[in-house]
Amino acid sequence: MDAADPTRLAEKLRLAFDLHEAGVALMRQNLRRRLPEATEPEIDEHLAAWLRERPGAEFGDAEGQPVPWPRPAR
């Protein structure tokens, strides 16, 4: 199978989505354990904040120096 095979690319994308869903579910459980008195809407708020501002990945998951986006025209 070629690396650019559409079927293989679709499988990889599906896997990425599945992994994202699993990570969100794990974090939701983590929040429920850490905040046992929180209501479901409060858990949803904490989860949304975590997805926006994940500690350690404020500028994304890649190495390097953050740059403004879109980049200014030269």
Side-chain angles (χ1 to χ4, degrees):
M1 230 190 281
D2 185 280
D5 175 31
T7 302
R8 181 75 177 131
L9 294 174
E11 289 171 4
K12 287 183 173 187
L13 183 59
R14 229 179 338 274
L15 177 59
F17 287 143
D18 289 345
L19 289 171
H20 172 77
E21 286 180 27
V24 169
L26 285 170
M27 188 59 184
R28 183 179 295 280
Q29 288 299 322
N30 185 354
L31 289 168
R32 285 187 182 127
R33 278 192 302 276
R34 288 177 28 207
L35 307 166
E37 303 298 321
T39 64
E40 198 60 26
E42 290 171 333
I43 294 292
D44 290 342
E45 288 177 28
H46 283 280
L47 184 60
W50 177 77
L51 285 167
R52 283 190 306 271
E53 306 164 7
R54 293 170 303 129
E58 293 84 359
F59 302 110
D61 294 323
E63 294 181 11
Q65 185 174 9
V67 296
W69 190 258
R71 292 186 180 192
R74 293 183 184 196

